[in-house]
Each structure stands twice: as structure tokens, then as C-alpha cells.
Amino acid sequence: IETGAIAADQANDVQFYFGSVGPILAKRLKIENVGNGTTRNIYTIIHTFPAAGKYNISVTMDNRNDNTLNLNNGLNTNSLNFYVHSILEINASLGTNQTPVLLNPPIDVAAVGVRYIHNPNAYDADGDSLSYKMFVPQQSIGKGNGENIIYQHPNNVAPGNNEAGTSAATFGINAVTGDLIWDAPARAGQYNVAF
């Protein structure tokens, strides 16, 4: 099983599901270097929905990185696939609406004992207000469906203290600003979160 850069380089296509339709393979159009040894793979697919309604749109990609400490108790994480989904509602009475875009790639590097902050810099072209919440990372179980991975918040892998040393470490996201704050990491390693 390939992981990391090798797996990303081999991901020439991904599987999409549109409601009950799929899998449909989307071919990779482009690889962009976004810094810190990380690339963004760009896939494009065109799909026409048969009617108004709510549709679960999902994508699956094989092979997460190995040794991700807060997934699957840190074991065999390279055998877990990525599964991401969203709900699209097609309803003429709602008018047009665009999906928010996250402008800040999540490629930050934290330091043990130092308060860590990541903000996705979300932008909504319609000017809609945005709200943020944590979500448990998932893996595909087939046919466009997913299930939660064994997960723990990063600060529970190795409990420690906040940067000031005045209380236990905390981890969470600000629902209004989108600031993802870990105050503060206690163990170096790779972690995965979803929001």
C-alpha cells in the first residue's frame, strides 16, 4: 500500500457518487504544489441530476498516510481511505447559492508545547454567514456511503497542558471565526481532523 507523496502521485482518478449514481471516475486534471511537501490534486467531473431533490455527493480516495496518531489508535492508518461527502439540494424556490471555498490550505506545522491555530479562511461568494463545527473523519464502506473512523481529538492522544501551563490542553474550533485551536500539542506526530 502506497502512502504520502507516492499515493498522491498515483491518484490519477477518484470515485464519485451522486446520490445512487456511481461510482463515476473523475480523472485528475492537475497537481499543484501548495508548499510544505503537500500537493493539491484537481479533479473535474460534470454530472446532470435527473430532478429536484436532495443528493448525497461523495468521493473516495485510497490510502491515507501511515502513522496518523489520532486515527484507528495510530495503527494501519495507511489502509484507511478518504471519504468526503456533502448534501446538494436542488430546489428552485431557494434561488442560486454557491458553496463556500476554503482559501487557506491545511498544511500547517505545530510545535510541542506551543498554542496552534489554523483558520481555513473560508469565503462565501453569496455573502452568507458561515458556521463551523468538528466532524469525525470517515472512510468509505462502498456505494457512496461512509462510516466514522476510530478517532480521538489530538489533545487526547497524549494529554498535556496548555501553552501557559495553567490548565489541561484543549482542542476545538470556534463556530463563528473558524479558528481551529489546539492549546497545546504534547506529542509530535501526524494528526488528522475534519470540520
Side-chain angles (χ1 to χ4, degrees):
I1 296 176
E2 303 295 351
T3 64
I6 295 170
D9 289 345
Q10 292 178 354
N12 293 317
D13 52 50
V14 294
Q15 296 180 2
F16 274 87
Y17 281 84
F18 299 92
S20 61
V21 177
I24 299 173
L25 291 181
K27 296 290 183 189
R28 179 172 50 204
L29 297 180
K30 187 176 181 182
I31 301 175
E32 294 179 347
N33 183 346
V34 294
N36 200 24
T38 304
T39 59
R40 175 182 13 238
N41 292 315
I42 299 173
Y43 303 86
T44 299
I45 192 166
I46 297 173
H47 179 75
T48 302
F49 292 91
K54 286 187 180 182
Y55 297 91
N56 184 54
I57 301 172
S58 67
V59 64
T60 301
M61 294 181 73
D62 289 332
N63 306 341
R64 291 175 182 265
N65 288 341
D66 203 11
N67 301 314
T68 303
L69 299 177
N70 67 322
L71 298 182
N72 203 38
N73 299 312
L75 303 172
N76 303 315
T77 59
N78 60 321
S79 66
L80 304 172
N81 62 38
F82 281 96
Y83 170 81
V84 179
H85 70 101
S86 186
I87 302 295
L88 172 67
E89 182 172 359
I90 301 172
N91 183 335
S93 67
L94 297 176
T96 57
N97 192 17
Q98 298 179 61
T99 301
V101 177
L102 306 180
L103 301 174
N104 191 13
I107 56 170
D108 304 322
V109 177
V112 171
V114 179
R115 186 175 186 252
Y116 163 83
I117 301 175
H118 170 80
N119 188 291
N121 192 18
Y123 170 74
D124 186 88
D126 302 311
D128 294 336
S129 63
L130 301 175
S131 179
Y132 304 84
K133 69 177 182 175
M134 296 303 301
F135 196 77
V136 175
Q138 295 188 318
Q139 66 179 348
S140 172
I141 56 173
K143 297 186 179 181
N145 298 304
E147 67 180 3
N148 292 348
I149 295 173
I150 297 170
Y151 167 83
Q152 56 183 323
H153 282 318
N155 64 316
N156 293 335
V157 170
N161 293 323
N162 64 5
E163 182 179 37
T166 57
S167 63
T170 59
F171 177 85
I173 195 164
N174 183 302
V176 177
T177 67
D179 283 343
L180 180 73
I181 301 173
W182 185 2
D183 190 8
R187 179 179 174 189
Q190 179 174 266
Y191 297 84
N192 180 251
V193 297
F195 59 87

